[in-house]
Amino acid sequence: MFRQFLIMSHGNMSTGLESTISMLLGNNFNLDTVAAYLDGKRTDISSKIEEYLSKLGDDDELIIFTDIFGGSVNNESMKYINDRRVRLISGVNVPLILEILSNSSNKDLSIDTIIREAISEAKEAIVFCNDLDFNLSNDDF
């Protein structure tokens, strides 16, 4: 089974995420990006997804990360969630991608389980640091 990972965003967010992920985990994953609507130009999201799907076998998987639920990139991607090879996750962030990629080779867990656990952990990684009670001075950093 082959897994293709695709980060899609409005603008260059996807390429920035890919850069960060590559720095932290290396380039050991089938990870690509689509930076949509650059310079005000329309991006055909459907044709991009269809291009990836055309390269997949029946047992392969395409895991798509999008930036905003309800945004045009996510809405166009929603058309493909009935394809059993597609998993679509919106609200992408670095901890989410790191967790999914790091566990994607675990053959004991389904990709759906990996995604659900990663979403839970990624939510926990969002912290309003001002609410933390640390008695630290600037010298401690």
Side-chain angles (χ1 to χ4, degrees):
M1 177 187 30
F2 176 79
R3 282 193 180 129
Q4 176 68 55
F5 299 93
L6 181 61
I7 307 170
M8 302 176 74
S9 68
H10 297 81
N12 288 312
M13 178 184 179
S14 60
T15 55
L17 286 168
E18 179 188 37
S19 174
T20 300
I21 298 303
S22 294
M23 183 179 68
L24 296 172
L25 293 181
N27 295 315
N28 304 323
F29 302 94
N30 303 311
L31 179 63
D32 287 329
T33 64
V34 172
Y37 311 115
L38 295 177
D39 300 322
K41 296 178 184 171
R42 185 179 184 285
T43 301
D44 188 349
I45 301 298
S46 292
S47 68
K48 299 281 188 187
I49 293 172
E50 288 174 16
E51 179 182 327
Y52 283 95
L53 288 173
S54 71
K55 298 174 186 174
L56 296 181
D58 290 341
D59 294 328
D60 296 335
E61 296 169 332
L62 175 62
I63 293 82
I64 304 171
F65 302 95
T66 63
D67 53 358
I68 304 169
F69 180 73
S72 57
V73 173
N74 186 259
N75 288 347
E76 285 296 309
S77 302
M78 290 285 291
K79 296 175 184 176
Y80 298 92
I81 62 172
N82 290 326
D83 185 318
R84 63 181 184 81
R85 300 171 296 170
V86 173
R87 304 299 186 278
L88 176 60
I89 308 151
S90 69
V92 66
N93 62 29
V94 172
L96 176 72
I97 299 172
L98 288 174
E99 191 67 27
I100 291 173
L101 292 179
S102 295
N103 290 303
S104 65
S105 62
N106 184 339
K107 302 299 182 200
D108 295 331
L109 297 175
S110 71
I111 191 63
D112 292 353
T113 299
I114 292 169
I115 290 169
R116 287 184 184 104
E117 289 177 4
I119 289 171
S120 178
E121 291 186 30
K123 286 178 182 178
E124 295 296 317
I126 300 171
V127 177
F128 182 36
C129 295
N130 290 45
D131 286 343
L132 300 175
D133 187 21
F134 288 118
N135 293 317
L136 302 175
S137 69
N138 287 338
D139 295 337
D140 293 327
F141 292 98

